[in-house]
Amino acid sequence: ESHRANNDKEKVAASLDIVNDAMTLMPQEPIHTGKNLNNGTQSTDKDAFYVSRTEIEAHQVNLQHLCRICGGSFKNDPYKRSHPVHGPVDDEMQALLRKKERRATSWPDLLNKVFKIDVRGDMDTIHPTNFCHNCWNVIQRKFSNVPCEVYFPRKGTMEWHPHSMSCDICGTSSHGVKRKKQAPNSQVSKKLRIIAERARKIMYARSRKQVNSKSIMKKITSCQKIHLSTKMLTVDYPADFVKSISCQICEHILADPVETTCKHLFCRLCILKCLKVIGSYCPSCRYPCFPTELVNPVKSFLSILNTLAVRCPVKDCYEEVTLGKYSHHLSSHKEK
């Protein structure tokens, strides 16, 4: 019995030693695992901070390729032209503003006047720092009052927002999202084909009408024996230059040229005959035109016209004379 009691005491002591060992080990393990967890969270935070920073930098790089006003890409311009938003106004625009007696030394003033946007409070991480040449043309046309349609690619100016996970600017470039190709609709393609054919027929009919109207006007003027053909020019000038010195009705070299209010040039005799027959409008652009509104072109154009060398059309006369002296030369032939 005493032997059994001793064995029980030894077992109890052994179990107590195991419990003590376990207790001494227990506080060390959770501290160790806690440190590991803290290190893991710190590393993930660093990675997240690094990723967000790189994304913002990439976002800024993408902004440098976009226009501040319309949001268009500079890659669409073949010459890659751009203008700084906060820079001084260039020389060409300064000269135009001086002509119009307006004053503006920096682009923010002009952008505020034309597009009604204030770029002074822009941030580099949100707003682009340049604007495209198309918007520059819009500003130029605004101040020069050019009689043509001002093209702006949007209904209003672009609104810029900070970078986010669903960023429109760098979402497609970073994730590589591609647009899905839509399956071609047979009915839509058939309609487009029919519309294109109709448009082609209308354009062909209009061109035929223009050709017919030109031939009718030539018959009205019938000035082949009076005016010189462009084939009589001694020098082979470019086609555009020959067109600029020829009448737009008879297509001969301008004789006693006159200018309409719509800046078209005609021989005086040709335009007066046409206005009498077809009505009071320009034969080229159908703009209202009256005989009392016809004026002489500028003197520099007349001096260039008079210095052109032409061959004498009289038989057995091979002399080359300037257009200014042609009438005097022709009168000498009549005397003979």
Side-chain angles (χ1 to χ4, degrees):
E1 285 175 1
S2 64
H3 183 68
R4 281 177 186 174
N6 290 329
N7 285 336
D8 291 336
K9 285 179 183 178
E10 285 175 3
K11 283 179 182 179
V12 170
S15 63
L16 285 170
D17 291 337
I18 290 164
V19 169
N20 288 329
D21 292 338
M23 290 294 288
T24 53
L25 288 169
M26 279 294 287
Q28 292 177 3
E29 276 190 5
I31 291 164
H32 184 66
T33 52
K35 284 180 181 177
N36 288 338
L37 286 169
N38 289 330
N39 291 332
T41 52
Q42 283 176 4
S43 62
T44 50
D45 288 339
K46 282 181 181 178
D47 292 339
F49 176 72
Y50 179 72
V51 168
S52 63
R53 192 175 176 184
T54 51
E55 281 182 1
I56 290 164
E57 286 174 359
H59 180 74
Q60 276 186 272
V61 171
N62 291 330
L63 285 174
Q64 298 306 315
H65 300 293
L66 299 175
C67 173
R68 166 66 179 87
I69 300 159
C70 66
S73 176
F74 298 139
K75 293 175 184 177
N76 298 332
D77 185 6
Y79 300 103
K80 304 289 187 295
R81 293 168 294 186
S82 63
H83 306 273
V85 170
H86 301 286
V89 178
D90 55 35
D91 297 335
E92 191 175 346
M93 193 65 73
Q94 282 279 16
L96 179 64
L97 291 169
R98 274 194 223 101
K99 281 183 182 178
K100 297 293 174 183
E101 295 180 349
R102 292 173 180 270
R103 290 182 181 180
T105 54
S106 62
W107 283 118
D109 298 333
L110 284 177
L111 296 175
N112 196 14
K113 284 178 183 177
V114 178
F115 300 105
K116 305 291 186 258
I117 52 169
D118 189 12
V119 297
R120 288 185 177 88
D122 284 4
M123 296 174 67
D124 292 344
T125 53
I126 300 171
H127 304 92
T129 55
N130 296 317
F131 64 96
C132 64
H133 195 70
N134 188 50
C135 294
W136 184 90
N137 282 329
V138 172
I139 298 166
Q140 190 193 30
R141 288 171 187 174
K142 177 81 175 175
F143 288 105
S144 60
N145 299 324
V146 178
C148 62
E149 187 181 353
V150 175
Y151 171 74
F152 190 66
R154 295 172 62 87
K155 289 181 181 177
T157 55
M158 184 78 175
E159 291 183 4
W160 302 96
H161 303 285
H163 177 68
S164 61
M165 293 299 289
S166 59
C167 182
D168 295 329
I169 295 163
C170 49
T172 53
S173 61
S174 60
H175 300 296
V177 176
K178 292 183 179 179
R179 288 184 180 178
K180 292 179 180 179
K181 288 185 178 180
Q182 293 181 353
N185 193 343
S186 58
Q187 290 180 351
V188 174
S189 59
K190 191 177 180 181
K191 283 181 182 178
L192 289 171
R193 210 179 300 118
I194 291 164
I195 291 163
E197 283 176 6
R198 283 179 184 172
R200 207 177 293 117
K201 285 177 183 177
I202 291 163
M203 291 296 289
Y204 179 71
R206 281 181 184 174
S207 63
R208 287 296 298 273
K209 279 182 182 178
Q210 285 177 358
V211 169
N212 292 334
S213 64
K214 273 195 173 183
S215 61
I216 289 163
M217 283 191 289
K218 281 182 181 179
K219 284 178 182 177
I220 291 165
T221 55
S222 62
C223 58
Q224 293 91 350
K225 294 180 180 178
I226 308 166
H227 298 155
L228 281 170
S229 171
T230 52
K231 292 177 183 178
M232 292 296 169
L233 290 166
T234 56
V235 181
D236 187 16
Y237 292 109
D240 291 334
F241 178 75
V242 174
K243 195 176 179 181
S244 67
I245 59 158
S246 57
C247 175
Q248 295 190 26
I249 296 171
C250 65
E251 295 180 346
H252 295 146
I253 298 170
L254 287 163
D256 191 13
V258 289
E259 188 179 346
T260 59
T261 50
C262 49
K263 304 292 180 184
H264 291 120
L265 292 167
F266 304 96
C267 302
R268 189 182 292 273
L269 187 66
C270 298
I271 187 69
L272 288 174
K273 281 184 179 179
C274 281
L275 291 176
K276 198 177 282 185
V277 175
I278 64 173
S280 298
Y281 58 85
C282 175
S284 293
C285 64
R286 306 287 176 179
Y287 191 81
C289 177
F290 300 95
T292 52
E293 294 175 346
L294 299 173
V295 293
N296 293 323
V298 290
K299 290 180 181 179
S300 55
F301 176 79
L302 292 172
S303 63
I304 292 165
L305 190 67
N306 290 328
T307 53
L308 295 174
V310 291
R311 288 191 298 273
C312 181
V314 178
K315 197 176 181 180
D316 299 328
C317 180
Y318 304 102
E319 196 172 342
E320 293 180 2
V321 291
T322 58
L323 202 62
K325 296 177 182 178
Y326 172 70
S327 56
H328 179 71
H329 176 77
L330 198 64
S331 62
S332 64
H333 280 297
K334 285 179 181 177
E335 285 174 6
K336 288 178 183 178

